[in-house]
Amino acid sequence: MDRRKILMILSNPFIVDPRVYKEAKSLSEAGYEVTVIVWDRHREYEEETTIEGVKVVRIRNRGIMKILPHDLFREFFWWRAAYKKAMELYKSGYKFEIVHCHDLDTLPAGVWSKKKLGIKLIYDAHEIFGYMIARDMPKIVVKAAFWLERHLIRYVDHVIVAEETYKSYFDSLVNKQIPITTLLNCKDLVTNKYIPPKNDVFTIIYIGVLNRSRFFPEALEVIGGINDVKFIIAGKKENMYEEIKELSKRYNNVEFLGTIPYNKVIPYTLKSDAVLCMINPKDINNKIASANKQFEAMVCGRPIIATKGTRSGEITEKEKCGLVINYSKEDLRKAIITLRDNPKLCEELGKNALKAAIEKYNWENEKKKLIRIYESLTD
């Protein structure tokens, strides 16, 4: 018997997106056939590949997409290319029953696919998109994003949100006419027992977006000047990637890994002593959105350094799994020295982090919710 087919659409190359990877892999393991259309903006990966049972089809910048100077101007052509590829897959025999769109920058292609084929549509909001882009886009673009979301969401059959705090915003859009499910960015448990780090030098890790709202380059400047501490950094090839890569060369205690695949994130985190999650509390998105770093630290049993006034800081305080500090160089320096010089505190905070992961913040719990959503749409 043929497995029921799902199409996901994603605006990054997939290999660096742990949320989408975990959802796709979980659905594949549950008996669905999953294909993901993705945008490989920098032509870094194979055009087609299969990763742990999930087929990945990558769209590259060609023609006018290659000529245009900014991704903002490429968006419409990306939507059109993703929709065209979806139709090609369908006509070639991949008769998908559900299209699952990750974030607003894929939703138009999903809506077009639903209108054409009469299939079900899931909108997976990793962020409140308008708030996310407000940090570096003109107001007119932000307003257009909010308008587009309000216009397109009426075609959606189920909304998935990545944080409990997003729910009130989406409730206001759908007016209780469309079901909404929270699916946190939790990770698979790697251990049920605390595993102490074995570093000769106290090691802090940051793997994620490299931009000013994540306290870069300040974090690099602070940690680069602290003795007996090592700082490991990895991130996507966007935003401040090249700048941080060059700045890292100035410090003997900084190791810049470049871009690493999602399956390397947890092993690197487990080898660290603490996880950095300095996020600007003035950014409205940071006030309501938890960070991947939070859940990576938890399943590894590692203390997290988070910022007051953010969702990550709120969770860290509640679970007593790290230090919550002001968004400042001096507070970061003090926090790192506190953890470096107090192994017992690190162990206590790490054990609290792991306990929270085992009891609540783990992917097994979230996976069950995801499967229930798909069962409701395919029954």
Side-chain angles (χ1 to χ4, degrees):
M1 182 179 176
D2 288 343
R3 298 194 296 168
R4 293 187 127 160
K5 295 174 176 60
I6 297 163
L7 180 69
M8 291 186 169
I9 307 178
L10 173 67
S11 66
N12 67 51
F14 181 77
I15 196 78
V16 294
D17 198 311
R19 178 181 178 88
V20 183
Y21 159 72
K22 295 187 76 58
E23 290 183 8
K25 184 171 180 287
S26 296
L27 289 165
S28 177
E29 291 171 348
Y32 295 92
E33 187 175 347
V34 185
T35 295
V36 190
I37 293 174
V38 307
W39 188 2
D40 182 10
R41 304 168 196 234
H42 304 289
R43 302 175 69 91
E44 297 176 281
Y45 306 96
E46 298 173 84
E47 286 196 72
E48 288 194 17
T49 188
T50 299
I51 301 173
E52 298 192 55
V54 176
K55 184 177 180 181
V56 181
V57 179
R58 296 187 175 96
I59 291 172
R60 296 171 172 175
N61 292 344
R62 291 189 173 93
I64 193 168
M65 288 178 73
K66 199 171 181 180
I67 298 168
L68 291 169
H70 194 280
D71 279 344
L72 175 62
F73 304 118
R74 298 185 184 102
E75 287 287 348
F76 174 79
F77 300 98
W78 146 242
W79 298 336
R80 190 172 69 174
Y83 169 70
K84 183 179 178 182
K85 179 60 69 174
M87 294 304 102
E88 287 177 7
L89 289 170
Y90 196 87
K91 289 174 183 177
S92 68
Y94 189 76
K95 307 291 186 183
F96 51 93
E97 300 178 44
I98 297 174
V99 59
H100 184 143
C101 290
H102 292 276
D103 270 328
L104 182 61
D105 56 358
T106 69
L107 190 55
V111 170
W112 298 339
S113 298
K114 177 176 180 174
K115 286 181 175 181
K116 179 70 174 179
L117 303 174
I119 56 177
K120 300 292 186 181
L121 173 60
I122 292 175
Y123 178 33
D124 196 331
H126 300 191
E127 319 269 358
I128 295 180
F129 201 81
Y131 293 157
M132 181 189 70
I133 66 172
R135 58 175 68 120
D136 50 24
M137 285 290 176
K139 288 184 179 179
I140 190 170
V141 176
V142 175
K143 287 182 179 180
F146 280 119
W147 175 86
L148 183 67
E149 191 167 51
R150 286 195 302 272
H151 174 69
L152 295 181
I153 203 165
R154 57 184 170 163
Y155 298 101
V156 172
D157 295 287
H158 202 115
V159 177
I160 297 174
V161 295
E163 180 54 70
E164 294 163 356
T165 49
Y166 298 174
K167 201 166 182 300
S168 59
Y169 167 79
F170 283 99
D171 276 335
S172 70
L173 293 187
V174 304
N175 196 25
K176 298 183 180 180
Q177 296 178 4
I178 301 169
I180 302 173
T181 300
T182 300
L183 212 66
L184 299 174
N185 286 318
C186 296
K187 313 303 173 186
D188 289 310
L189 291 172
V190 292
T191 178
N192 288 311
K193 184 179 179 181
Y194 175 72
I195 301 173
K198 298 177 181 179
N199 297 309
D200 294 329
V201 177
F202 187 83
T203 301
I204 300 168
I205 195 162
Y206 176 83
I207 303 172
V209 177
L210 298 170
N211 63 27
R212 299 197 183 278
S213 75
R214 303 300 177 96
F215 212 58
F216 282 95
E218 293 88 347
L220 185 59
E221 294 163 355
V222 169
I223 303 172
I226 301 177
N227 294 329
D228 301 319
V229 172
K230 183 177 181 179
F231 188 23
I232 296 176
I233 306 170
K236 297 178 184 178
K237 288 186 177 179
E238 57 189 26
N239 299 302
M240 297 178 68
Y241 179 92
E242 292 298 334
E243 181 180 345
I244 300 305
K245 179 182 177 181
E246 290 305 308
L247 282 173
S248 297
K249 296 175 183 177
R250 299 182 185 179
Y251 304 98
N252 293 328
N253 64 337
V254 175
E255 182 179 356
F256 186 82
L257 300 176
T259 299
I260 64 172
Y262 46 74
N263 59 1
K264 299 291 185 183
V265 173
I266 294 300
Y268 270 111
T269 304
L270 192 60
K271 291 178 181 178
S272 71
D273 292 271
V275 175
L276 183 69
C277 190
M278 290 287 283
I279 298 177
N280 191 345
K282 292 181 180 179
D283 186 315
I284 189 169
N285 194 60
N286 295 340
K287 288 179 180 291
I288 61 174
S290 55
N292 272 305
K293 310 303 102 204
Q294 185 88 44
F295 305 120
E296 291 158 10
M298 283 179 163
V299 296
C300 292
R302 296 294 178 261
I304 189 166
I305 301 173
T307 319
K308 291 178 181 177
T310 65
R311 177 63 174 155
S312 290
E314 180 184 328
I315 295 172
T316 300
E317 284 185 331
K318 179 182 177 183
E319 303 299 341
K320 297 180 175 60
C321 61
L323 300 182
V324 182
I325 62 175
N326 292 316
Y327 190 70
S328 73
K329 286 185 173 183
E330 183 58 24
D331 274 32
L332 176 58
R333 189 184 68 83
K334 289 178 180 177
I336 291 169
I337 291 172
T338 296
L339 293 176
R340 181 198 66 185
D341 296 345
N342 197 333
K344 287 186 178 179
L345 175 61
C346 277
E347 182 174 335
E348 178 186 344
L349 296 174
K351 286 180 175 178
N352 289 344
L354 181 59
K355 181 174 181 289
I358 292 169
E359 292 179 353
K360 178 181 179 180
Y361 298 101
N362 64 76
W363 181 246
E364 190 62 31
N365 289 340
E366 305 309 301
K367 180 169 69 173
K368 291 174 183 176
K369 293 188 285 184
L370 176 66
I371 300 305
R372 285 198 294 269
I373 292 168
Y374 269 84
E375 288 174 345
S376 72
L377 292 176
T378 54
D379 282 347

